Amino acid sequence: MDNDFSSLFQPLTIGRGAKKLTLKNRMVMAPMVTCLANSIGEVTPRMVDYYAERAKGGIGTVIVEAMDIDDRMLFNRLGVFHDRFVNQLEILAAAIRERGAAAIAQINQTGTRGNTLGPDDLTIAQINECVEWFGRAAERVKKADFNGVMIHGAHGYLISSFLSPLTNHRKDSYGGRREERARFAMEVVKSVRSAVGEDFPVF
């Protein structure tokens, strides 16, 4: 087997149009919750320093840890559920970009893994509200001048709990067959894309 990893250090262009993004290499720092935000979800100087150091190490892309899209957040988790977060997130994104890495923001709703409800407990109105939260969060990420947004769909959080028949027992259009269980995820993606436009990278 050929073990030449030189392609990892080659640039990669993603996206299109005005927001086309060229990454300096193909190495990515995956999102990992640091709990370096303060108790109300705001960026702290320590968090900025942490991500700046990672970007300075030569990585091509830094994906910032999961940002909660609603105010029923977990302690010391980063928030993106209000416009008041935008200015501080802009400082964080700039610190990453100034050191040569692309800055991607991950947005998340924790569901039963956090302080909120799971698929079986949500009304249709609450589902619709949550879909809107994702879109608004993505819009704030774009305003904060991140290079892209990532939708968290794993680890038993709300999106993945909708997808799994083990945690989604709904009998309406959001449960049952695979297509129905995927409806919530698809609506989230559409909400995010509508909020940020066609040219902004969505992961």
Side-chain angles (χ1 to χ4, degrees), residues 14 19 21-23 27-32 51 55 59-67 78 89 92-94 96-97 101-107 141-142 144-152 200-203:
I14 61 174
K19 284 292 182 178
L21 176 64
T22 299
L23 310 174
M27 294 185 291
V28 178
M29 176 185 166
M32 297 171 282
Y51 280 106
I59 201 80
T61 304
V62 172
I63 305 176
V64 173
E65 62 197 84
M67 304 177 185
L78 198 54
L89 290 171
L92 177 59
I96 295 168
R97 293 195 324 274
I104 308 299
Q106 187 185 65
I107 57 176
V141 163
K142 185 177 180 180
D145 213 15
F146 277 82
N147 298 112
V149 62
M150 171 181 277
I151 302 167
H152 196 328
F200 193 72
V202 175
F203 300 79

Side-chain angles (χ1 to χ4, degrees), residues 162 168 172-185:
F162 262 96
N168 181 351
D172 59 9
S173 61
Y174 289 93
R177 295 186 305 131
R178 181 174 55 190
E179 292 79 6
E180 276 70 38
R181 298 197 311 273
R183 185 182 305 276
F184 176 70

Side-chain angles (χ1 to χ4, degrees), residues 129-189:
E129 182 179 43
C130 192
V131 169
E132 290 178 10
W133 286 342
F134 271 101
R136 290 177 190 154
E139 187 175 26
R140 292 182 187 110
V141 163
K142 185 177 180 180
K143 286 180 179 177
D145 213 15
F146 277 82
N147 298 112
V149 62
M150 171 181 277
I151 302 167
H152 196 328
H155 303 165
Y157 294 133
L158 189 60
I159 290 177
S160 62
S161 62
F162 262 96
L163 291 169
S164 173
L166 297 177
T167 48
N168 181 351
H169 307 107
R170 297 181 69 97
K171 304 301 182 183
D172 59 9
S173 61
Y174 289 93
R177 295 186 305 131
R178 181 174 55 190
E179 292 79 6
E180 276 70 38
R181 298 197 311 273
R183 185 182 305 276
F184 176 70
M186 296 300 294
E187 290 180 355
V188 167
V189 171

Side-chain angles (χ1 to χ4, degrees), residues 1-5:
M1 178 184 287
D2 185 1
N3 289 323
D4 180 9
F5 298 110

